[in-house]
Amino acid sequence: MLEIKGLRVTLEEEGKEILKGVDLTVEAGKVHAIMGPNGSGKSTLSYVLAGRDGYEVTAGSVTLDGEDVLELEAEERAAAGMFLAFQYPVELPGVGNMTFLRTAMNAQRKARGEDEISAPEFLKMVREKAKALNIDNEMLKRSVNVGFSGGEKKRNEILQMAMLEPRLCILDETDSGLDVDAMRLVADGVNALRSPDRGFLVITHYQRLLDHIRPDVVHIMADGRIVETGGPELALRVETEGYADIAKSVA
Amino acid sequence: MASDATRKAAEALLHALALPEGEAGWVRERRAAARSRLLEAGAPVRRDEYWRFTDPARLTAPIATAEAGEAPAQAAAVFGDVDALRVRLVNGRLRADLSDPLALDGAAIAPLGEVLKQDISIVRELVGQLELAAQEKVSRPLAILNTAAATEGLAIQAHGATVRPVLVSYDQIGEGASLVRHVIRVEAGASLTLLEAGVPTNSVMEVEVADGGTFHHVRVQTGERAPAVTHVFARIGAEAEFKTFTLTADGVLTRNEVVIDIVGDHASGHIAGAVLGKGDAHIDNTVFVTHSAEHGESRQVFKNVLAGASRGIFQGKIFVRAGAQKTDGYQISQSVLLEEGAQFLAKPELEIYADDVKCSHGSTTGALDETALFYLRSRGVPKRVAESMLVAAFVDEAISEIADEAMQERMRALVAKWMAGRT
Ligand SMILES: Nc1ncnc2c1ncn2[C@@H]1O[C@H](COP(=O)(O)OP(=O)(O)O)[C@@H](O)[C@H]1O
Ligand SMILES: [Mg+2]
């Protein structure tokens, strides 16, 4: 469903090239993991996919079910079914979590020509999904991510994902900063969404999240490129050998 | 001291206006004194420090008093169907035929013109007197002009807990000056809420809040209008509460001066504003808070949302007299610039002669947070809606200063409407 071909990206301000030709295909129903050392360009890839400003695509293409993604605004990509769980979820002081969720849901529905969700229906849905992620009413009432702990922020990202039901889920280091229990909640939340028509791109620095979210394919990213692709066993190799050796073995 | 040129400009200003007739002797004396004071002060000019950011030229062009006229009732619409005693001024003239009867539980209300023909001590103690006191540290010639010439407005004495607010709306057609003055006294332990919609070209409000009294003021300045200057002068007694909130949108030039003096212990004065500017709008909020008593608490909260080539100005001062110990003074002025051509200028000032006080001020300006915008958009919220949400959150600190929650909601709705309608 997601096809990235020869993607090269530079930072608009500095003109520095970060992605140096990325090729990657994520099929519906599959979980792809991207691993790689810090600074290799994983977050940059996720931002470019989600449509953040400040990057210039100098070559290559990105399509979602054949549709050119790079032509779309960020909100259009969301309506088309793309979702990014941020590595650093953003605090929105003064914007209530519930308002935020309902506005986002209804905006996407409107963009797709669907009816708005009714207030009772929305409430029921949000209560149910929040409960599964151990998010209490108090958290739902507060401003988005304001005063949330690191783990609460990550669970809030998964709540948004569960509510918005995207077709392509990109998770950028959703495991970082989580203790074992929070990791399990997050992983359960992700696994609950796995379905034959939904694809996942799970970015992680460590193998441990992949114990809970079993990937079908693992990619290693280094210096703005995918340098190796394999099965789940590749993640285990990273754990024992480290990135340096793998990158070297490829070079 | 006025130069020849500024004195001449002041003369021209006075000359253009219709002079009041049939007033009581004390009023005539006060008018004459005001005329001399104005000539002495001179009209404001750009090189005055107090007018550094706002060119007073458009406020000092001599303009004749507006003719009486019929204008559709538009201004009051911003307050919707709020239950209030409604008073309409058209072209700066109080229109009894278009207003509710001036009867309100807990208060006595009369047209200013009527009380100026009589000699009522509480009126005599207020008219022009708070304006005069406010000239102590800074010259405010356009308020003196109002004392010299304004005949229209309301005199309100609240002696009990009024429940219904008084809603005064100003509609204007055609050119011409509309000078309006209200004098208000809230007696000890009494309360009053005043709402204002629309903007006369020169208005002054003098408010005395006696010990333990409560005065709440909410005004909305929207729509196309002539350059305007407003002054609110307040004297706040012990344990009294004074709150004023102003939403100002667009307009070519609006200068709002609020000058309060906290004269009784344990009193509070809150002055807040939401500014929404687009096009060439120039909106100036100039605030002067004096603490003359102990344990006083003051807040100045101003939020500016500026688009196009609009300008937002904030000049805010906290002046703490010797002996005003335990003063708690707070001031924040912030702006969000929605477009590169917009500009926000702030001049915060503290002048403190007491040693045991807590005063803070802060000012920020900048674009909307790009990261926050992207976060919202990445969830499917269209850019315009995302901007509106962030602006609403930004403005909320000022709106929260309004005591009444239903009124807060009205103001939030006006901000949302302005954001949706801006091009
Ligand atoms: N906005 C930016 N300004 C400057 N450098 C950036 C910016 N974003 C990313 N980079 C640089 O791009 C490289 C890739 O960063 P990133 O995509 O965050 O890597 P990863 O997520 O794999 O750790 C790093 O060298 C980082 O310093
Ligand atoms: Mg990263």
Side-chain angles (χ1 to χ4, degrees):
Chain A
M1 66 193 309
L2 177 74
E3 247 187 291
I4 306 172
K5 283 187 188 154
L7 185 67
R8 301 182 82 102
V9 171
T10 58
L11 293 173
E12 258 173 17
E13 280 202 358
E14 302 164 38
K16 180 179 155 195
E17 185 164 64
I18 308 292
L19 300 183
K20 301 170 179 175
V22 173
D23 293 284
L24 183 68
T25 301
V26 179
E27 308 83 5
K30 293 283 195 282
V31 174
H32 284 239
I34 299 184
M35 303 181 73
N38 278 329
S40 56
K42 304 184 299 295
S43 289
T44 302
L45 176 63
S46 73
Y47 284 145
V48 170
L49 291 177
R52 186 172 192 156
D53 291 335
Y55 302 99
E56 193 189 344
V57 175
T58 54
S61 66
V62 179
T63 57
L64 185 66
D65 293 332
E67 188 184 6
D68 183 358
V69 164
L70 298 176
E71 281 298 304
L72 302 178
E73 299 288 350
E75 55 266 40
E76 294 170 327
R77 298 182 197 194
M82 234 154 83
F83 182 92
L84 167 64
F86 282 50
Q87 180 172 1
Y88 304 107
V90 180
E91 297 185 7
L92 303 176
V95 179
N97 220 1
M98 293 283 251
T99 310
F100 172 69
L101 274 172
R102 211 180 53 225
T103 308
M105 263 181 106
N106 283 333
Q108 292 199 14
R109 287 179 173 226
K110 193 174 165 203
R112 293 193 292 259
E114 302 163 10
D115 286 342
E116 291 200 347
I117 186 167
S118 74
E121 210 184 330
F122 170 78
L123 272 179
K124 184 162 171 275
M125 187 171 173
V126 90
R127 293 243 163 84
E128 196 180 289
K129 310 255 184 210
K131 191 159 173 240
L133 286 158
N134 212 354
I135 291 174
D136 60 22
N137 266 338
E138 171 58 23
M139 253 174 86
L140 288 176
K141 275 190 217 149
R142 268 188 277 168
S143 291
V144 178
N145 293 327
V146 177
F148 288 25
S149 71
E152 286 172 336
K153 285 181 180 170
K154 296 301 174 88
R155 277 186 277 144
N156 204 31
E157 293 291 285
I158 303 303
L159 173 65
Q160 291 165 30
M161 191 166 93
M163 293 292 290
L164 295 169
E165 301 176 320
R167 288 190 302 138
L168 176 71
C169 306
I170 306 165
L171 289 86
D172 189 3
E173 299 214 23
T174 299
D175 51 333
S176 64
L178 294 187
D179 60 27
V180 179
D181 290 339
M183 169 104 74
R184 176 153 292 279
L185 280 173
V186 163
D188 288 349
V190 172
N191 287 329
L193 282 168
R194 291 184 72 160
S195 82
D197 50 11
R198 185 171 282 139
F200 287 85
L201 193 56
V202 179
I203 296 170
T204 178
H205 189 70
Y206 303 103
Q207 192 268 338
R208 74 182 180 148
L209 180 69
L210 303 181
D211 286 340
H212 301 289
I213 306 171
R214 306 291 304 165
D216 298 294
V217 185
V218 175
H219 310 270
I220 308 294
M221 188 161 194
D223 193 24
R225 285 185 196 87
I226 303 290
V227 293
E228 174 121 47
T229 295
E233 73 289 347
L234 187 54
L236 295 170
R237 238 182 88 204
V238 167
E239 192 78 345
T240 51
E241 294 176 27
Y243 290 114
D245 288 345
I246 293 175
K248 217 179 295 155
S249 72
V250 175
Chain B
M1 194 56 51
S3 68
D4 265 4
T6 62
R7 171 192 281 264
K8 283 219 171 66
E11 261 172 4
L13 269 172
L14 276 169
H15 195 73
L17 296 170
L19 284 181
E21 283 165 28
E23 294 180 329
W26 68 271
V27 181
R28 290 201 301 271
E29 280 166 30
R30 219 158 267 178
R31 302 267 196 216
R35 284 196 294 274
S36 334
R37 285 195 288 129
L38 178 58
L39 295 183
E40 195 176 324
V45 288
R46 188 63 189 267
R47 62 176 181 278
D48 296 344
E49 180 62 20
Y50 218 48
W51 292 89
R52 205 169 86 197
F53 300 131
T54 297
D55 189 347
R58 279 183 293 184
L59 296 169
T60 53
I63 297 170
T65 308
E67 297 292 321
E70 294 300 325
Q74 278 170 337
V78 293
F79 285 109
D81 58 358
V82 69
D83 179 32
L85 179 103
R86 289 163 181 262
V87 177
R88 273 192 75 195
L89 280 81
V90 178
N91 282 11
R93 285 151 208 260
L94 186 64
R95 292 289 296 268
D97 57 326
L98 304 174
S99 303
D100 291 342
L102 296 181
L104 186 68
D105 280 346
I109 308 181
L112 183 75
E114 260 172 44
V115 299
L116 293 184
K117 292 184 177 122
Q118 306 164 37
D119 194 356
I120 305 164
S121 64
I122 61 159
V123 177
R124 206 177 52 223
E125 280 158 23
L126 273 178
V127 173
Q129 298 307 90
L130 297 197
E131 174 265 299
L132 180 63
Q135 308 286 338
E136 179 193 340
K137 302 278 288 181
V138 188
S139 172
R140 306 173 197 278
L142 296 172
I144 309 179
L145 175 71
N146 189 289
T147 300
T151 56
E152 298 278 353
L154 293 175
I156 307 177
Q157 181 194 19
H159 47 73
T162 60
V163 177
R164 289 175 84 205
V166 176
L167 165 51
V168 183
S169 61
Y170 313 95
D171 290 298
Q172 184 112 6
I173 45 152
E175 308 276 292
S178 49
L179 274 70
V180 173
R181 161 162 313 220
H182 303 301
V183 290
I184 296 164
R185 187 175 155 87
V186 179
E187 299 293 352
S191 60
L192 178 72
T193 297
L194 179 73
L195 310 175
E196 287 184 282
V199 204
T201 61
N202 181 324
S203 70
V204 166
M205 184 162 84
E206 289 171 302
V207 191
E208 167 106 51
V209 190
D211 296 353
T214 302
F215 178 72
H216 290 166
H217 178 222
V218 175
R219 57 181 169 174
V220 175
Q221 305 172 322
T222 53
E224 274 187 37
R225 55 190 186 267
V229 59
T230 76
H231 290 86
V232 173
F233 300 114
R235 191 157 60 197
I236 305 164
E239 288 174 29
E241 175 183 299
F242 171 91
K243 268 178 173 289
T244 179
F245 171 89
T246 306
L247 185 147
T248 310
D250 309 324
V252 281
L253 169 60
T254 311
R255 161 110 160 184
N256 294 317
E257 293 193 23
V258 177
V259 185
I260 70 171
D261 193 356
I262 295 178
V263 298
D265 293 344
H266 294 280
S268 73
H270 295 184
I271 301 152
V275 167
L276 309 170
K278 64 176 182 284
D280 291 323
H282 181 110
I283 299 166
D284 175 335
N285 280 290
T286 291
V287 178
F288 198 112
V289 173
T290 301
H291 284 268
S292 305
E294 290 189 4
H295 292 280
E297 188 245 357
S298 69
R299 292 171 65 82
Q300 302 173 43
V301 181
F302 283 83
K303 298 281 185 153
N304 294 254
V305 180
L306 303 168
S310 69
R311 253 155 311 149
I313 310 296
F314 176 75
Q315 305 191 98
K317 179 153 180 168
I318 306 176
F319 172 49
V320 182
R321 291 190 202 271
Q325 300 295 13
K326 306 286 180 191
T327 285
D328 181 356
Y330 172 76
Q331 179 195 98
I332 182 90
S333 68
Q334 295 181 302
S335 80
V336 154
L337 307 179
L338 295 177
E339 265 121 31
E340 276 181 17
Q343 201 183 7
F344 177 63
L345 299 166
K347 187 181 170 198
E349 262 188 296
L350 298 176
E351 190 178 337
I352 301 174
Y353 298 101
D355 53 12
D356 186 13
V357 302
K358 194 174 89 190
C359 285
S360 65
H361 64 80
S363 185
T364 63
T365 187
L368 280 179
D369 182 355
E370 276 300 324
T371 310
L373 265 181
F374 171 60
Y375 192 58
L376 281 161
R377 295 177 72 191
S378 79
R379 298 304 182 243
V381 180
K383 184 165 181 234
R384 298 281 297 215
V385 179
E387 287 174 344
S388 289
M389 289 174 83
L390 294 178
V391 160
F394 168 75
V395 171
D396 221 58
E397 188 187 358
I399 291 181
S400 305
E401 287 292 328
I402 301 171
D404 180 50
E405 279 184 25
M407 189 54 69
Q408 292 183 6
E409 281 306 314
R410 284 186 198 280
M411 296 304 115
R412 290 190 184 103
L414 290 176
V415 172
K417 190 175 159 205
W418 184 86
M419 279 301 289
R422 134 195 111 81
T423 43

